Amino acid sequence: MNTAVLITPEGRIAEVLLPRTSQERATVYRTLLRCETYGVLARTSRLDMWMDLDGLYSHPVNPLATTLAQRFGRCWQPYRGRVLLTGGTDSVGETLPLSPEQVHAHLTGLFDLLD
C-alpha cells in the first residue's frame, strides 16, 4: 500500500493512498495539493514534504507543516498551503510510501502539536 499523509493549513490531517505508478501519482499530487506545479523537499532520507511551488508566498501559512519541518532543523521560512508527506526515495529515485510505523508516528506527532 502506498501511504502518505496530507496536512492542510487549517490543521486537517489525513492519511491518503497513492497510486503505484509515478505518472498516476503526479495527477494525485496536483489534485491533493491543488496546484499545477509542485516540488519536494527532503526532510530526512525517509521523509519528503511535497508542496505547491507556485503558491509559496500566496497560500496561507501551514503551521503544522512548518512546526514539523522545524523539528528536523530544516525550516527557514513558514510552509504554505497543503503539504503531502511521503517516505523518501529508493535507489533509483522513485518515491516511497510512508511505512505504517511512520504514518502512526507522524499522525500521533501532528495531533500532539494541535493540543
Side-chain angles (χ1 to χ4, degrees), residues 12-83:
R12 291 189 198 101
I13 305 163
E15 183 177 349
V16 295
L17 298 178
L18 299 175
R20 294 205 182 273
T21 69
S22 57
Q23 187 174 16
E24 291 173 318
R25 279 195 306 268
T27 300
V28 172
Y29 289 172
R30 283 193 291 277
T31 301
L32 289 173
L33 298 173
R34 297 182 180 167
C35 68
E36 287 300 316
T37 308
Y38 59 87
V40 63
L41 295 169
R43 299 297 86 190
T44 72
S45 63
R46 297 188 61 218
L47 179 67
D48 287 340
M49 296 177 83
W50 299 81
M51 65 198 69
D52 175 5
L53 293 179
D54 293 330
L56 289 177
Y57 302 104
S58 60
H59 288 304
V61 170
N62 187 324
L64 287 176
T66 301
T67 301
L68 180 63
Q70 288 170 339
R71 285 188 166 184
F72 292 104
R74 297 181 178 201
C75 187
W76 297 275
Q77 65 187 38
Y79 280 68
R80 295 180 172 273
R82 294 168 155 241
V83 170

Side-chain angles (χ1 to χ4, degrees), residues 5 44 46-47 86-88 97-107:
V5 172
T44 72
R46 297 188 61 218
L47 179 67
T86 60
L98 294 170
S99 70
E101 295 79 20
Q102 286 175 296
V103 171
H104 176 74
H106 290 306
L107 289 176

